[in-house]
Amino acid sequence: MGKAELPLHAPGTRVDKGYIGQSVPRPNAKRLLQGRGAFVDDLRFPRLAHVAFFRSPHAHARIKRLDFGNALKSAGVIDVFDGRAVAEYCTPWVGVLAHLKGIKSPPQHAIAIERACWQGEAVAAVVAESRTQAEDAVDLIDADWEELPAVLDMDEALSGRCVIHPELGDNICFKREHDTGGVDEAFAKADLVVEETYRFGRHTGVCLEGRSILADYNAAEHTLTVHHSTQAPHMMQDVFSRHLGIPEANVRVIARDVGGSFGIKVHVYPDEMATAALSVMLRRPVKFVADRLESFLTDIHAREHKVTIRLACSKDGEILAFDLDDLSAIGPYSVYPRTSGIEGNQVVNLTGGPYKHQKYRAKLNVVFTNKNVTCQYRAVGHPIAVALTEGIVDLAAQNLKMDPAEFRRRNLIPDDAYPYTFPSGVKFEKLSHHQCLDQLLGLMNYASLRKEQADLRGRNIFRGIGLAAMIEVTNPSPAFYGVGGARISAQDGATLRLEPTGMVTVMCSVTEQGQGTEGIFAQIAASAVGVSMDKVRVITGDTGVTPYGGGTWASRGAGIGGEAVLLAGRALLSNILDVASKVLNLEKETLDIENNAIVDKLTQEKKMPLEELGRITYFRPDILPLDFQAELTVTRHYTPREYAFTFTNGIQASLVEVDTDTGFVKLLKHWCVEDSGTVINPMLVDEQLRGGVAEGIGAALYEECLYSPEGQLLNGNMADYVVPMSGEIPDIVCAHIETPTRQSQLGAKGVGEAGTAGAPGAVMNAINDALAPLGARVTAMPFTPERILRALGRIA
């Protein structure tokens, strides 16, 4: 029986007692829904239903019994489902990529079936007329659990003494080793070797808008329409299609303006897949919105790492080699479809990135634990790699008694050395480290700040200056995911259409998450076609309308989506001029479009308004030549292919003051010089940098998901999980170097993650610079007052 025939839970049936594996059908045709007193005639006119999830209170436990009897009697409840019932409609997934050799993960279901592997994993779903009624019924579910040993510590997970998924053999999801050779020799001949272990606390995105989904299955047409708070509509269209058994062309995903994502909403979430499956099962629209407490428990976390890094250098400050050992914890599953191995893999690829050493060795272990899953979050891997690199670089400079800016100047890759292959194997097209460093030092008046710092130390005021040079992955090619078998598009598409009124409609596959993408596209289209921005309408985030594309992730909106818009705009301009030349009986080469009208290219004399050309094309094509057909809708796609990634670079600096009595850190000022290629909209670019810096400051000073020894999230609310607010953010001064990429006509690189990538390392170095006269250092993020006081020996 095919899935379109819906053998289970069609109108007139329900799961009654809900014990694991048991389904009890009810009579078909009209039925009385429990607690409502209203008949539904086979749901031919289905109303919106809401789902709430019964989640595991344990970090690791076997589900012995689920009793839905009382929940089913609760007011407004439509149905209650366990994992086995949902699995009849939604197949499990495995989050692996072929190019991450050896990565492994167990199958994951939309709703857990036999056991829960972290606190907050959904084990049952209640569907009701309202969210409130669904939540009330969740409280009435009776469950028996067999608690299992929980693995919470990374080192314990690596030891394999207790294996979370016995069928996998150990707790290692992914491991990688990279060695250029000659590393031991470089360390043996070094005049100085410095070593330090850094710890990074897991944290999460805290989006302004929580995750949300409204799925609406139409049984008559076997179609599914999903309104989804997602960054990648076409990716999710494919996922819903494959795991729900609906043809891809029958699935439409709509993602309108999303209230912040930061990578949080680019993944497949089990509760969202369950919501879509429930819509199919019940043949009615079903909605789920994660509340703030659920968001902390189930939104992906990120950046739980413990890393030991060594640096070898000469007495003149020349870096000879880096040696890295990274241990990272990802929760009980590798997240689908991008995997949880990418973050650690990025750390290996990027550590040491700005510098010209040639010897590099790295070891990575990514392990399963019984905490919430981790995966890609803004600047994936970059904050760890930059903080490691810049922290150990500062430590080397301190040991050599060399100014940290001078140490960097001696080691940054020269600006004329490109194209350049880094020891990890990644290739750089063209970067500008030295230009950025020079501009930063001038912008912040570095020499004066150093003098002021020395003067204040004499008065027991401890200020610190921290630098962090960086590289950033943007505009990724298919080498990021497609090569590993993931159906995640590296291209984006844009369709531009001249309307009869002279308006230009832009439809692009990149989504708007608050980063200003639609404004950028309007700018590019207006400039390319020759119309004013008020004549441009932009549509994004709708698989039923826009061309196929990757969406929003990895700082790719302007560089890839913008290039597609530019190419389509130039093609539309050419096609409009073809029509104009026929109507005006003039050579196409003599015409142009300016200010919403056809003009003479040399004299700028207005020949015809665009609305008149539109009128003729759409309503009077009979006056055009018989052998000519106007084409006023064009589509173009773009994907970078010459380089795996279009790297950007930059450098940041932070000025802080540390109160050595309380351990509090006051951020005084922050500077960011970034080379993101062609800057299309300076205001948007600067605010992207500032927003990224704010998130980086959160990671450095405030944010951490804290778990108890039993695996309970201790601070999963806005009262206890601290995020920086306006009072904590200093003035952030931005400046730019522009080195356009030659891979595109637009020349734009990405900028959305740069601030987040560099800020934690800059803040860390500034704090340690302030503490240096006192012989103290901090290396565990976030740098809370407690940790600073402990480093100072003020508390045990």
Side-chain angles (χ1 to χ4, degrees), residues 646-678:
T646 304
F647 276 91
T648 70
N649 70 276
I651 186 166
Q652 296 184 33
S654 188
L655 177 65
V656 308
E657 185 174 304
V658 179
D659 186 328
T660 56
D661 292 325
T662 65
F664 278 91
V665 176
K666 183 177 182 180
L667 299 162
L668 301 176
K669 202 161 188 178
H670 198 95
W671 297 265
C672 181
V673 177
E674 177 72 9
D675 186 346
S676 55
T678 303

Side-chain angles (χ1 to χ4, degrees), residues 404-627:
E406 177 58 28
F407 189 91
R408 286 169 173 78
R409 191 186 305 280
R410 296 186 185 193
N411 288 285
L412 289 169
I413 300 169
D415 290 354
D416 60 358
Y418 300 94
Y420 187 92
T421 300
F422 186 66
S424 69
V426 296
K427 293 178 170 57
F428 305 143
E429 177 191 5
K430 186 75 171 75
L431 303 178
S432 56
H433 289 299
H434 286 270
Q435 292 181 71
C436 288
L437 175 62
D438 291 342
Q439 183 158 339
L440 176 77
L441 297 180
L443 187 68
M444 63 188 295
N445 203 346
Y446 182 77
S448 295
L449 286 178
R450 284 295 182 195
K451 183 179 183 302
E452 180 185 43
Q453 178 190 42
D455 293 340
L456 290 172
R457 281 177 178 174
R459 294 153 46 193
N460 287 327
I461 298 174
F462 296 96
R463 289 189 177 179
I465 302 166
L467 305 178
M470 48 162 284
I471 56 174
E472 182 199 352
V473 168
T474 75
N475 299 0
S477 76
F480 209 163
Y481 292 116
V483 71
R487 296 173 69 85
I488 300 170
S489 181
Q491 73 171 14
D492 271 297
T495 296
L496 267 67
R497 180 175 67 232
L498 181 70
E499 308 291 358
T501 58
M503 293 282 293
V504 174
T505 298
V506 178
M507 292 163 280
C508 187
S509 51
V510 174
T511 57
E512 179 59 73
Q513 314 285 315
Q515 76 275 41
T517 294
E518 293 183 356
I520 290 287
F521 293 163
Q523 274 186 267
I524 295 171
S527 177
V529 178
V531 299
S532 56
M533 282 188 62
D534 64 305
K535 295 292 185 181
V536 180
R537 176 176 179 244
V538 179
I539 299 171
T540 62
D542 187 343
T543 63
V545 174
T546 65
Y548 205 96
T552 295
W553 47 275
S555 300
R556 62 192 302 281
I560 297 180
E563 181 71 8
V565 172
L566 178 66
L567 297 176
R570 288 178 173 173
L572 180 60
L573 169 65
S574 177
N575 288 2
I576 292 171
L577 295 180
D578 283 336
V579 178
S581 69
K582 302 300 182 183
V583 174
L584 298 171
N585 197 24
L586 295 170
E587 292 295 324
K588 176 182 178 181
E589 291 73 19
T590 67
L591 301 175
D592 202 355
I593 301 177
E594 288 288 344
N595 197 26
N596 311 314
I598 308 296
V599 300
D600 184 280
K601 183 179 289 186
L602 292 178
T603 67
Q604 296 296 295
E605 178 189 356
K606 184 175 179 180
K607 297 292 185 180
M608 176 190 298
L610 280 181
E611 57 263 36
E612 176 62 12
L613 183 140
R615 185 191 68 82
I616 292 170
T617 302
Y618 287 103
F619 308 125
R620 290 299 310 277
D622 55 302
I623 69 174
L624 298 172
L626 291 176
D627 61 350

Side-chain angles (χ1 to χ4, degrees), residues 682-745:
M683 181 181 292
L684 282 177
V685 169
D686 284 355
E687 295 315 310
Q688 279 284 295
L689 288 172
R690 291 188 176 102
V693 167
E695 280 191 271
I697 288 171
L701 294 179
Y702 305 109
E703 298 183 50
E704 185 174 15
C705 297
L706 299 172
Y707 280 82
S708 74
E710 297 75 31
Q712 299 291 307
L713 182 62
L714 299 175
N715 61 334
N717 58 76
M718 292 304 295
D720 298 319
Y721 183 95
V722 184
V723 295
M725 301 180 71
S726 59
E728 286 79 49
I729 302 299
D731 286 343
I732 302 170
V733 180
C734 300
H736 303 277
I737 301 292
E738 292 192 46
T739 307
T741 175
R742 293 188 294 271
Q743 296 184 79
S744 68
Q745 296 181 34

